Amino acid sequence: MRPTGAAIRSNHQRVALRSGRNDVALEPKNPRTRTRTTTTCWTMTSFSSCLSRLTHVGVGFRRGKDISVNNMASMASSFTRGGRAGCSGFRPMPLAQRASSSDAASMENHANTTLVVVESPTKAKKVQKFLTKPDKEEDERSLALLESLGKVEVLASYGHVRDLEGKPGAVDPDKHFALRWSVSSRARPRLDAIKQAAQRCERVLLATDPDREGEGIAWHLQQELEACPSLRGRAGKPSIQRITFNEVTSKAVLRSLEGAREVSTALVDAYRARRALDHLVGFGLSPVLWRKLPGSKSAGRVQSAALRMICERDDEISAHVPVEYWSVSADVEAGGHSFEGASLVALGEEKLGKFSLATEEDAERARAAVESAQLSLTTIKETISRKQPRRPLTTSTLQQLASSRLGMSATETMAVAQKLYEGDHAGGTGEGLITYMRTDGTYLSPAFVQQCREYVEGEFGGDYLPQKPRLFASKSKNAQEAHEAIRPTNPSLSPSKLKKKLEPRHWRLYDLIWRVAVGSQMSDARAKTLSFEFSGDGVTLRSAFTATVFEGHLAADAEGAGARRAALEKMRALESLGEGDACEASGVVSRQHHTSPPPKFSDGTLVKALEECGIGRPSTYAPIIKVLTSRGYVVRSSGRLVPTARGHLVTKFLKLYFPVYVDLNYTSGMEEQLDRISNAELGWTLLLSDFWDPFERTVADVMDIRNRVVIDELDALFGDDLVKGLDLGEGEGDGEVSAEPRRCPACGTGTLGLKLSRFGGFVGCSNYDKKGESGCTFGVPLDMCFGSSTKIAKHGFDLSALGELGACEDTGLVIEMKLGPYGYYLHRTDGMVASLPREIEPSEMTPKDATEVLREKGKRKKKKAAASTGAKAKGKAQGRGGGANKRSPNPFIEFMQREKDRVVQENPDKTWRECVKIIAAEYKTSASAKS
């Protein structure tokens, strides 16, 4: 019997086999590729040959359950033995009943299976172990809850699976701020693996980090899974829920199963609002910077405010005028004890303050008085002080302490903390060592507090426990109290037990976290201070000594125990002294001091300042600093953040044209609005609407400003400080300051000012662009000119190093040292040039060294430029097709080039677009007159 329909082809994705009144329906495993084909009536031979062809091309089918091509042969055999429909070996299924029966079988196969999605692969391994091999000590309720999950599979998303498209228009204000998300090529395989695993499961638990970013990742995963066709069309599609745990331990993970919930809409809205704001600001400000400040890379909402803080601190340091003051001190011997550096605190009837000895003459008179005085011990004063323990660590205070005590940057601190949180360390316990490290709360869980108190009492004794557990309220602006502080997961796991199991960096950070967390639940430390005053002949010297009499929470710091014991022994020896004992002063010295400016920001102090101003959140502190350094706006020098000249230039530009959006109060207020969104008190699109309209108008207005106007206004803002680092303002005699500090040192007639090139800014002569004898080539990189950037520049400014160095050893041609917009460079008379290496000072360059540098790094830039210009001109003359016909020039372009300077000068209040319209009108008038 011949088939009555179209034959099955190898690329068919769905096959229906008709035999009598019954149909056999077979589906491919991949639901995306389903297409319906014409049903066909089959003989035994044709059915066997069809299955053979399908087996050959490797098509997989399912009939209620998966049917691989490997058992197709047995199906064909059964069908052949049974003849047609109703055979004993194979029972065809009516199409009307196929869907319900298939769904029921599918639900049966997916029953009692769970997929858990976390962010990192390390955490995935830990959670997989906790959910498949639970601790026998777990309570019955947790074990029963774990048993209800059935078979568990844990996968990692490796962070965000999708993000806003990295191009303009990803946020569309005209469509109620619709967001266009895209899945990166890096995240696509991981997302596909999660989708495939979800098809095999009854439920999906999203266990990403317990903050806004983690909630955003969970929402992205939920959106992608719900949009998956194979899951959306399945009758028993998996339920999707959200769980969170603050520590990667077995108890915390199992406890989180009890609190399964839906993805928080409020937190997701806050996440979307933040991403949309950052996108709108970044893609709004960055093109303006590219157009008005060539060489600038980008600007961001929070990064620009942080950059402003760094640059203003640098300006404050530059503007600081040191104030001179003096002090007098002496070494005093009393009762066999030596008091080194006892300070002069009173002279005659006057109590000396910090600036009482203002000059060297004052200090010398005081020193002489101390040397001639007969002193005795007149006063011994004892005071007892209490020192409370440090508050539990938040992200901000962790980064501050790690910066000041361990010398770690914010980025390094968070990377190491992530390893400790996930338990990713050699020789570890299998569980995370600390709780989640992105938090702004100082709350400690009651369970941890109880464990901590039990550990302290057993390790140190009951005297080291306060009567009641300590409770701490967060002081940071907009702190979310629901987040627990950073603490060890097990207080009994002291740093001494892990010193040989952890890497040095990991151990030091864990030691810091453990000491602060455990110490926060210990008693106050008590210290005794003995103050000694030595007086006589109108002179009073003072010295004080302090020692810890009860360690309290300091006992958690085992490394400092030896020093504290030594200080206490010395204190007990000093207690034997009595008032009236004779004294002798020696080594009397006077020292000069100057007031210091505020220090430059370090990672820790910048994070503290950001937190105090309410700018940024725990998850953004480290990325803010990373972005500023990667963009070249800030560099690290001796552990401090130093703004570059480009950073200063961008900051002044933004303060001039976008003052609202880099204002610290405005940025802080925006963070408060985002917190309101996360508390479901404000709609996220309403916030974006209020922000976007004025911001869009401001961007359009600034884009209309001519670049020449921008340069002139920035130059005026810098003033003479623009060339302060060049030291050109000193007169020839008596340290006089020249009335013209900006006079060009090269030509003597031009004025130094700010200039821009496509690679950045520099300071150049006003005759820089002129040709002929009146032109001047003097140019200096901005980093040499002002601010702290002069200390981090590649080379310092040195006019004496410029000029001829001598003859090249290879060619005999003259080599010159020159200075340009990008720094010092060597120039040989044949056009060979090379930049000066950082390790060589310009004044130390010799002809031999110059020859070596030109040999290794020399380039013939001028000849290349001339050749390329000639080729370009030749190409233009020949036309696109390479012919010899010369194109006629555009008459309007020629007219505009000829008249533009005049029109701009006659219309200083008009924008360039308006000037072009005037030129076009004049061109039309002249063209009609000629015709």
Side-chain angles (χ1 to χ4, degrees), residues 413-426:
T413 300
M414 298 310 292
V416 174
Q418 181 78 32
K419 298 286 188 181
L420 295 175
Y421 165 67
E422 295 177 350
D424 185 13
H425 49 274

Side-chain angles (χ1 to χ4, degrees), residues 479-728:
Q480 302 173 21
E481 293 290 350
H483 291 176
E484 191 173 0
I486 304 172
R487 60 168 177 82
T489 57
N490 184 2
S492 62
L493 200 60
S494 63
S496 60
K497 297 179 181 179
L498 296 174
K499 192 163 188 176
K500 296 182 179 180
K501 297 181 179 180
L502 298 180
E503 296 180 16
R505 289 187 313 157
H506 296 187
W507 182 85
R508 287 191 299 156
L509 190 64
Y510 177 77
D511 176 62
L512 181 66
I513 295 171
W514 185 91
R515 283 191 283 112
V516 172
V518 174
S520 69
Q521 297 303 314
M522 297 178 69
S523 301
D524 294 345
R526 293 193 300 273
K528 178 192 290 188
T529 300
L530 292 179
S531 179
F532 302 90
E533 288 189 357
F534 311 96
S535 303
D537 299 334
V539 172
T540 302
L541 298 173
R542 180 181 296 160
S543 180
F545 187 81
T546 301
T548 302
V549 294
F550 177 70
E551 290 184 316
H553 64 88
L554 297 178
D557 182 9
E559 293 184 358
R564 290 192 295 270
R565 284 194 296 267
L568 184 58
E569 291 176 2
K570 185 175 181 180
M571 169 72 71
R572 290 169 180 167
L574 291 176
E575 289 176 346
S576 62
L577 293 175
E579 295 180 0
D581 292 348
C583 304
E584 182 180 352
S586 62
V588 183
V589 294
S590 59
R591 291 185 176 87
Q592 185 187 32
H593 308 276
H594 292 90
T595 56
S596 301
K600 294 182 178 66
F601 284 114
S602 64
D603 284 49
T605 54
L606 178 62
V607 168
K608 182 179 180 181
L610 291 172
E611 183 184 35
E612 290 175 348
C613 293
I615 297 174
R617 286 298 176 266
S619 61
T620 62
Y621 294 141
I624 287 172
I625 299 174
K626 185 176 180 181
V627 168
L628 293 179
T629 54
S630 64
R631 297 290 185 267
Y633 297 150
V634 173
V635 297
R636 283 192 177 88
S637 177
S638 301
R640 298 289 173 175
L641 299 174
V642 181
T644 62
R646 177 178 293 177
H648 274 288
L649 192 62
V650 169
T651 297
K652 289 198 179 293
F653 175 82
L654 294 176
K655 288 172 64 176
L656 180 62
Y657 295 107
F658 297 90
V660 174
Y661 302 102
V662 292
D663 181 74
L664 302 184
N665 291 329
Y666 177 84
T667 307
S668 174
M670 190 64 71
E671 295 291 345
E672 293 178 358
Q673 299 289 355
L674 291 171
D675 287 338
R676 290 186 59 197
I677 294 174
S678 65
N679 295 329
E681 299 173 359
L682 179 67
W684 70 283
T685 55
L686 182 61
L687 172 65
L688 296 178
S689 299
D690 294 340
F691 162 81
W692 175 246
D693 292 338
F695 178 76
E696 185 183 29
R697 289 193 298 268
T698 303
V699 170
D701 292 343
V702 175
M703 288 293 280
D704 287 338
I705 301 174
R706 286 181 293 145
N707 286 13
R708 183 70 259 173
V709 175
V710 172
I711 296 173
D712 292 341
E713 290 186 342
L714 290 175
D715 186 89
L717 274 179
F718 279 107
D720 292 341
D721 289 340
L722 183 66
V723 295
K724 187 176 181 180
L726 301 181
D727 295 330
L728 300 176

Side-chain angles (χ1 to χ4, degrees), residues 42-65:
W42 299 92
T43 62
M44 295 180 291
T45 304
S46 61
F47 181 54
S48 300
S49 62
C50 174
L51 292 182
S52 177
R53 290 188 63 189
L54 292 177
T55 305
H56 177 70
V57 299
V59 179
F61 296 89
R62 70 183 183 193
R63 173 179 165 265
K65 60 181 180 179

Side-chain angles (χ1 to χ4, degrees), residues 326 345 350-357:
W326 290 74
V345 296
E350 179 187 3
K351 289 186 177 181
L352 300 182
K354 182 176 182 178
F355 299 103
S356 295
L357 304 178

Side-chain angles (χ1 to χ4, degrees), residues 20 136 173 188 320 353 359 368 447 451 554 716 738 851 916:
K136 297 180 180 179
R188 174 60 66 184
H320 174 75
T359 63
Q451 292 176 3
L554 297 178
S738 172
T851 301
V916 171

